[in-house]
Amino acid sequence: MRPKPYHFRSIPTLWVDYVSGRGVFSNGQAVRPKIGERRKNPNLLDMLDTAAEVGAERIMFTGTVPVNDREVRHWLLVQTPGWNAGWIDQAGQMVGHWLGTPVTGRFERVATGQRVEVRTAAEWFGSTPLNPEQARQAWDATAFLVGEAFRGQHLGKTPAATGTNLWAVSLPAGLDLEQVTDDIAQELHRTSGQHHLEHLVGGLSFAAHEDCVPLVDPVVLPRLETFAYVDGRFMYASLCRELGVGPGVRLNRADTVDLLDRDPYARARVLVRFKVPDTWNHAGILGVRHARAEEGWYYPNRPGAVGETWADTAELHVARKAGWLIDPIESVAFTKTTTSEGGRVVVRPLDTFA
């Protein structure tokens, strides 16, 4: 089913330093906190009253915000006379604080019903040290770029809500998404790792499996003269390109062999038996889950090692080109094109982010 995009509105926000209470409103106007008697710095009640006075519906704290510590009372769980914690939403459900990370506080003024959310700039900008004005400008810049790229769309309350909505807005015209079946969804979750993490230097940190061999012997090479670091964060975006969609079709061995020969980049997951080439001297390509699931995954690279695992067709294409012996057992193929009222549609549900 095709998701329906939302049209978020701009939220009047008070960007404020947690300790001093000094901040700026959404329009850049400087704001001084209303500090109660016999206090040098404002408390949460002071900041709620300040937000109400300037018409803010959200407080974004910057600076040194207390970390969540189970041994200490949470900084949102304090007395706020004149303000109730949480409110009743349109569905009649009570909506309260979220004390995890990132934190969300929700307060409703008793006298007027005015609602104020309390969040942190770190939810959007991570550990980057920002003062209130810098955080406001970073928000405005992000909002401008999103609006330019996505036909006037606004930022949502959270990065997750924003990303989900931008995905809905950017789906190809005429594409009506169909979910994978429950059994295939569970199988994908059970047989897919999130990262390829390996330490390929011999020693205590090396993978504890007989089919994994270190590529660097610290006895022979006790010191590395050079070191290269590759920031691969943007590599994740490439994984969004040209994905398939549900519901997923199960193929037997013969049909899977035909699929791999005919379309090595088919959108499919394949259960295979494999053998590492006898001359292999590199990192492993295919991940295998440990017998004890809590131990994670290992990547066989010992020459002649054999194994069985689920892998993406793109991974298998790389392995076959490198000389690995691949014996398909079965597969699940996903949809690359679908039919709508306007004709054939190439699905590509996440290409906007690739």
Side-chain angles (χ1 to χ4, degrees):
M1 182 174 65
R2 187 181 181 90
K4 182 179 179 180
Y6 290 94
H7 296 283
F8 297 124
R9 65 179 181 86
S10 297
I11 300 175
T13 301
L14 176 60
W15 302 87
V16 60
D17 179 78
Y18 181 84
V19 175
S20 70
R22 293 178 178 271
V24 291
F25 195 47
S26 296
N27 59 6
Q29 175 187 350
V31 176
R32 289 180 175 271
K34 296 181 60 177
I35 302 178
E37 296 181 0
R38 296 187 296 276
R39 282 197 299 274
K40 180 179 179 180
N41 293 320
N43 59 18
L44 183 58
L45 174 61
D46 295 332
M47 295 316 306
L48 289 171
D49 289 341
T50 302
E53 184 174 88
V54 299
E57 298 177 17
R58 175 173 58 191
I59 296 172
M60 281 284 206
F61 279 124
T62 68
T64 308
V65 180
V67 297
N68 293 343
D69 186 345
R70 293 183 178 181
E71 303 301 323
V72 179
R73 184 177 64 175
H74 198 283
W75 56 273
L76 282 175
L77 302 180
V78 295
Q79 295 294 320
T80 53
W83 293 84
N84 289 329
W87 57 66
I88 304 297
D89 65 11
Q90 293 181 347
Q93 301 295 318
M94 181 65 186
V95 182
H97 300 327
W98 169 252
L99 303 182
T101 302
V103 66
T104 302
R106 298 179 177 93
F107 295 90
E108 185 175 59
R109 201 170 198 180
V110 176
T112 63
Q114 181 178 359
R115 295 173 176 178
V116 175
E117 279 197 341
V118 178
R119 297 178 177 270
T120 65
E123 180 176 5
W124 287 85
F125 307 115
S127 59
T128 303
L130 299 173
N131 62 38
E133 176 59 17
Q134 290 171 330
R136 184 189 72 85
Q137 291 186 20
W139 174 275
D140 287 349
T142 304
F144 173 79
L145 293 173
V146 167
E148 288 289 299
F150 293 91
R151 303 189 298 275
Q153 289 294 316
H154 294 283
L155 301 182
K157 288 187 176 182
T158 67
T162 303
T164 302
N165 196 57
L166 296 181
W167 168 66
V169 168
S170 63
L171 282 172
L175 175 60
D176 191 9
L177 294 174
E178 189 170 353
Q179 293 183 340
V180 297
T181 57
D182 288 343
D183 63 308
I184 291 177
Q186 293 171 13
E187 186 175 75
L188 281 169
H189 180 73
R190 186 177 66 253
T191 62
S192 301
Q194 185 174 0
H195 308 287
H196 182 159
L197 296 176
E198 277 194 287
H199 184 80
L200 295 171
V201 178
L204 296 177
S205 297
F206 186 69
H209 196 280
E210 61 183 8
D211 286 335
C212 298
V213 295
L215 299 182
V216 178
D217 185 344
V219 175
V220 177
L221 187 65
R223 176 183 174 85
L224 296 176
E225 299 299 332
T226 58
F227 176 78
Y229 171 78
V230 179
D231 187 337
R233 283 175 288 185
F234 285 103
M235 295 179 186
Y236 279 96
S238 67
L239 303 180
C240 298
R241 184 176 296 278
E242 300 182 19
L243 296 180
V245 296
V249 178
R250 293 192 179 275
L251 303 179
N252 60 23
R253 178 191 293 269
D255 289 337
T256 300
V257 171
D258 176 67
L259 177 69
L260 293 178
D261 291 339
R262 175 172 41 84
D263 186 1
Y265 291 108
R267 310 300 177 260
R269 293 277 296 172
V270 186
L271 177 61
V272 299
R273 296 188 184 95
F274 65 86
K275 179 182 178 182
V276 180
D278 293 333
T279 57
W280 192 253
N281 184 29
H282 210 298
I285 296 178
L286 303 178
V288 180
R289 197 167 189 174
H290 280 281
R292 295 178 59 187
E294 63 270 18
E295 295 181 3
W297 298 73
Y298 66 96
Y299 292 80
N301 69 334
R302 179 180 60 80
V306 296
E308 182 175 304
T309 192
W310 283 88
D312 187 89
T313 49
E315 295 175 293
L316 297 179
H317 185 55
V318 171
R320 294 172 86 180
K321 287 176 62 177
W324 288 47
L325 179 63
I326 301 297
D327 179 21
I329 301 172
E330 62 173 297
S331 63
V332 176
F334 302 102
T335 301
K336 289 201 294 185
T337 61
T338 186
T339 303
S340 71
E341 295 180 358
R344 299 292 291 177
V345 178
V346 179
V347 292
R348 299 187 174 186
L350 292 178
D351 268 32
T352 300
F353 302 95

